[in-house]
Amino acid sequence: MLSLKGISKIYEVGSERVSVLNGVTLDIQAREFCAIVGPSGSGKSTLMNIMGLLDRPTSGKVLIDGEDMGAASADDTAAARNRLLGFVFQSFELLPRLTVWENVALPLHYRRLDSVTRKRLALEMLGMVGLSDRAYHRPSELSGGQRQRVAIARALIGQPKIILADEPTGSLDSVTAAQIMDLFKTLNAQTSVTVIMITHDQGIAAQCRRRIDILDGRIVGDLTQAPADCAHD
Amino acid sequence: MIRGLPSKSAITHLVSEAVSNLLAHKQRTLLALLGIVIGTASVIAMLSIGHMAQLEAIGMFRAVGVNTLLVNAGQTQLGIGLDPSLITILPERVSGVTLTAPIAIAQAPVANFGPETNIVVAGLPPAGQSLLGLGLGEGRLLTSFDTNNHVAVIGAEVAIKLSTPGRPAVPGQTLRVGKYVYTIVGILKPVTLSFMTALDVNNAVLIPLSLSAGTTGQSGVNAAFIRFDPTLDADDMSRRVTEDLTRQAPENSINVQSPKQLIAAMKKQKAVQSQLLAAIGGISLLVGGIGVMNVMLMSVMERKREIGLRMAIGAAPKDIQGMFLTEAVVLTLTGGVIGIALGLVISFVAASLWAWEFSLALYTLPVGLGLSAFAGIVFGFFPALKASHLNPIEALRAD
Ligand SMILES: Nc1ncnc2c1ncn2[C@@H]1O[C@H](COP(=O)(O)OP(=O)(O)OP(=O)(O)O)[C@@H](O)[C@H]1O
Ligand SMILES: [Mg+2]
């Protein structure tokens, strides 16, 4: 499904070359639920941005469904992000002027779907994340957990193959974080979407089937575990 | 991958988003609009005033007829005007001339019992009245039987000016012109504009040509109207009449004008005014456009995170570009619509000030809309391009 082959990323800051990723090779299968764990500055976000086609590696290959995305144009990567990927961010990134359902429907706009279909699908997604009654609210009227649910609904509406979540529970208290984690697990089980999640929370990492440890831009651990406290097994 | 042209619903979506974004910054939007409004308004005013001037020019010559020449004859060094017989024999000397009217224009003290005022007194043969296209308000015009009668036809303004309480200047009333007493026989209808700029008929007293030299003390005539066969060329007629009169009266400076020349001169004058308005319009549009560009650049800077998010969920560079271009065009089109309305108000006010008939040139509406939309595309292009070239990661990190 998603393959990284010998990915390195080097930033040139002035005359200095900062090597953030050093030959990362990784294969992620369909329906997997992975945690990426590592200390701050280890290169997790950089890696996820490359997986998400938001950034290009200095060297190495990114393959999605066997297709090398290295040569893809900006339009092609935009289309691939729209069809294959869904993003969830630590700070939600909802557009404040749009209503909840409009935020959820936004990816479908770039798929040129008509507004009636967009709205119908968005309301369906909101039902799935348990926010049907907030469809016409603005994001500012929601709690942090609710906002992240909206963001998850937005990530899922295009029926992507992979959800990339960069510290999705990082701004939430532990109770809400657990609820969001449950939602991810449910969605992973129900829709068979692949979930790749960066987290600092060991408890959350322990709930994921696969745990990838990053240190100084290298994979230093990759184990598949029996997920702790897994309600859907 | 279905990525065709934007559908109708996509355009509606784009426009409604643009409107809500613009409304979120009302003050800034209004300031940016100002230049576009002024620019469009001056262009619209220029076009519609030009249009009305054209109609006025056409209307002006409708009364006189385009197959008419105006002769201006300066006095000789001895102060003698042109011999009127040189004009009256023109039909025999210059082929194509059908009718002539020598006119002697002078100032003379005129009084209706009250204090005397200096008023233009024009001596002319009866034919001169029809050549001038004069309309009668009251009484009658001068006739060929009036050659030796001290009778006068007065302009509408003169009639008002000379009327005193209890003694209105009406037909049957007498006037003193110079040392002579004239009887008013007719009052003219007000004339809006005269082809013959040398004679403001509204403010003139018309008397028989045969009596004018004695009354005003000015010998000879200094102007004439000449009607010619309408199938002939005005420039050619003008040249031939000039040649003949210059040969006959080398002492006088002869100047012949045709309506064609006057229209050309007027057009030239109007062209200068139009260029001025066009320059104002162009500069305002430029300044307004730069304002729009500024606002759009600010909008791009403020909405970096939104741009990054949109890119992450699948917006292609051209989608981002389209979003900001739409916003710029919605902005300038709004300015354009207000500008058109303002331009029409300005031309309406101008028309009523100059006593013109207001007329709307329909073609100015699409011109105004097109111009303002064009300004939006031109000045929105750079900010839109800048937005579409943002790096999504950096954009998402922006605050
Ligand atoms: N545009 C850039 N230019 C230079 N250095 C960069 C740039 N982006 C990231 N880095 C560096 O790359 C390293 C890895 O950053 P990254 O954001 O991937 O870390 P992370 O593992 O996600 O950390 P955190 O857990 O704090 O989010 C950091 O040292 C960072 O300073
Ligand atoms: Mg990070």
Side-chain angles (χ1 to χ4, degrees):
Chain A
M1 151 105 350
L2 176 68
S3 295
L4 302 181
K5 292 198 193 315
I7 297 290
S8 28
K9 181 75 185 178
I10 296 165
Y11 285 110
E12 306 213 5
V13 184
S15 56
E16 237 178 295
R17 287 159 61 87
V18 184
S19 187
V20 177
L21 293 174
N22 303 299
V24 173
T25 295
L26 187 62
D27 260 298
I28 290 169
Q29 306 303 321
R31 298 169 179 234
E32 271 198 291
F33 199 121
C34 310
I36 296 179
V37 189
S40 190
S42 55
K44 306 180 296 294
S45 293
T46 307
L47 183 65
M48 182 163 276
N49 287 336
I50 289 171
M51 287 177 178
L53 307 177
L54 288 171
D55 200 359
R56 287 179 196 270
T58 311
S59 65
K61 276 186 184 173
V62 180
L63 294 104
I64 297 181
D65 275 343
E67 196 186 336
D68 186 353
M69 303 309 292
S73 69
D75 283 353
D76 289 344
T77 56
R81 285 195 295 270
N82 187 252
R83 307 218 137 236
L84 304 172
L85 305 172
F87 290 87
V88 179
F89 303 92
Q90 180 177 350
S91 47
F92 325 130
E93 306 298 346
L94 302 176
L95 300 188
R97 266 196 299 284
L98 302 186
T99 61
V100 161
W101 82 260
E102 286 168 336
N103 266 288
V104 173
L106 210 52
L108 301 182
H109 171 67
Y110 297 110
R111 220 177 261 194
R112 315 281 184 250
L113 284 185
D114 65 272
S115 58
V116 177
T117 314
R118 286 203 304 259
K119 185 166 185 180
R120 181 171 55 76
L121 293 173
L123 294 177
E124 242 170 63
M125 283 320 298
L126 281 171
M128 229 166 142
V129 300
L131 281 177
S132 290
D133 54 339
R134 294 287 189 271
Y136 299 96
H137 288 237
R138 305 274 160 186
S140 57
E141 296 157 13
L142 303 184
S143 71
Q146 288 172 328
R147 289 185 207 185
Q148 198 60 302
R149 281 170 192 273
V150 175
I152 292 168
R154 180 181 63 193
L156 273 172
I157 195 168
Q159 295 184 305
K161 296 202 166 158
I162 307 167
I163 290 212
L164 298 168
D166 194 340
E167 301 189 44
T169 59
S171 313
L172 306 174
D173 62 72
S174 57
V175 175
T176 317
Q179 288 168 354
I180 291 294
M181 191 59 194
D182 280 344
L183 178 61
F184 272 117
K185 285 191 288 190
T186 311
L187 293 170
N188 174 243
Q190 282 180 357
T191 69
S192 69
V193 66
T194 305
V195 177
I196 304 172
M197 181 186 286
I198 294 176
T199 184
H200 276 115
D201 186 323
Q202 294 299 331
I204 281 178
Q207 292 178 46
C208 303
R209 235 179 236 287
R210 184 174 173 190
R211 172 188 166 126
I212 299 162
D213 277 273
I214 306 252
L215 187 65
D216 292 337
R218 281 192 182 78
I219 295 181
V220 294
D222 184 350
L223 51 113
T224 303
Q225 59 195 0
D229 182 34
C230 193
H232 309 283
D233 236 46
Chain B
M1 234 155 267
I2 317 148
R3 282 185 169 261
L5 285 169
S7 66
K8 203 177 124 196
S9 103
I11 291 171
T12 318
H13 182 87
L14 272 176
V15 170
S16 69
E17 282 207 333
V19 169
S20 84
N21 280 323
L22 291 169
L23 287 180
H25 300 282
K26 287 196 191 67
Q27 269 187 7
R28 194 163 89 184
T29 302
L30 280 178
L31 277 177
L33 278 181
L34 211 61
I36 300 291
V37 169
I38 294 171
T40 317
S42 20
V43 171
I44 293 295
M46 168 190 88
L47 291 177
S48 66
I49 287 172
H51 166 76
M52 290 187 291
Q54 188 85 24
L55 291 183
E56 281 300 310
I58 292 167
M60 209 162 107
F61 295 110
R62 196 172 291 143
V64 175
V66 283
N67 56 330
T68 307
L69 299 177
L70 166 63
V71 177
N72 283 303
Q75 296 183 336
T76 63
Q77 278 171 341
L78 296 171
I80 301 167
L82 205 61
D83 182 347
S85 66
L86 291 179
I87 301 292
T88 46
I89 59 163
L90 271 176
E92 289 153 43
R93 299 181 54 89
V94 180
S95 66
V97 173
T98 54
L99 198 59
T100 61
I103 303 180
I105 302 167
Q107 293 257 340
V110 177
N112 170 25
F113 251 7
E116 55 184 30
T117 33
N118 265 327
I119 286 183
V120 171
V121 175
L124 78 176
Q129 300 168 113
S130 63
L131 274 171
L132 275 164
L134 300 181
L136 188 63
E138 264 182 81
R140 64 169 177 88
L141 291 175
L142 298 175
T143 69
S144 50
F145 302 110
D146 292 324
T147 324
N148 290 309
N149 295 342
H150 285 76
V151 291
V153 168
I154 60 176
E157 291 284 322
V158 172
I160 297 166
K161 215 183 287 176
L162 291 180
S163 290
T164 50
R167 204 184 151 83
V170 291
Q173 204 64 258
T174 54
L175 282 181
R176 195 162 55 72
V177 182
K179 295 193 184 76
Y180 297 83
V181 173
Y182 278 78
T183 306
I184 300 171
V185 293
I187 296 175
L188 296 171
K189 264 194 207 152
V191 178
T192 37
L193 267 168
S194 175
F195 159 40
M196 185 171 169
T197 46
L199 177 58
D200 177 3
V201 180
N202 291 328
N203 287 299
V205 172
L206 308 184
I207 60 174
L209 177 63
S210 46
L211 301 176
S212 84
T215 305
T216 65
Q218 180 184 290
S219 65
V221 299
N222 42 15
F225 276 103
I226 291 163
R227 170 97 20 113
F228 58 90
D229 180 345
T231 60
L232 296 177
D233 178 56
D235 289 338
D236 185 48
M237 285 307 297
S238 161
R239 189 179 47 75
R240 281 160 55 210
V241 168
T242 314
E243 267 174 20
D244 183 75
L245 289 177
T246 311
R247 204 178 311 128
Q248 299 296 313
E251 299 286 293
N252 295 76
S253 58
I254 304 291
N255 168 26
V256 179
Q257 286 177 312
S258 67
K260 221 169 138 186
Q261 280 173 316
L262 288 182
I263 291 176
M266 224 165 61
K267 272 190 178 158
K268 207 167 148 189
Q269 191 191 347
K270 222 188 69 199
V272 174
Q273 291 168 351
S274 298
Q275 279 164 10
L276 196 73
L277 268 171
I280 294 172
I283 291 169
S284 307
L285 276 176
L286 184 73
V287 171
I290 291 170
V292 167
M293 184 149 88
N294 218 5
V295 162
M296 292 312 298
L297 281 172
M298 261 156 90
S299 176
V300 170
M301 289 303 139
E302 284 171 2
R303 289 161 67 196
K304 271 189 177 176
R305 274 183 98 101
E306 175 187 338
I307 294 166
L309 181 269
R310 285 179 184 268
M311 285 174 163
I313 64 172
K318 64 171 186 294
D319 293 319
I320 301 293
Q321 222 168 310
M323 181 170 87
F324 283 96
L325 261 187
T326 306
E327 204 171 305
V329 170
V330 166
L331 184 65
T332 55
L333 265 183
T334 311
V337 169
I338 301 172
I340 288 173
L342 184 65
L344 291 180
V345 168
I346 291 172
S347 41
F348 182 80
V349 169
S352 49
L353 275 180
W354 301 331
W356 288 2
E357 199 174 324
F358 179 73
S359 157
L360 172 65
L362 278 178
Y363 77 92
T364 58
L365 307 184
V367 166
L369 287 180
L371 210 62
S372 50
F374 180 71
I377 291 170
V378 167
F379 293 99
F381 186 77
F382 174 64
L385 195 71
K386 201 173 154 110
S388 72
H389 282 348
L390 285 178
N391 176 332
I393 301 163
E394 280 168 23
L396 272 167
R397 261 205 298 259
D399 41 26

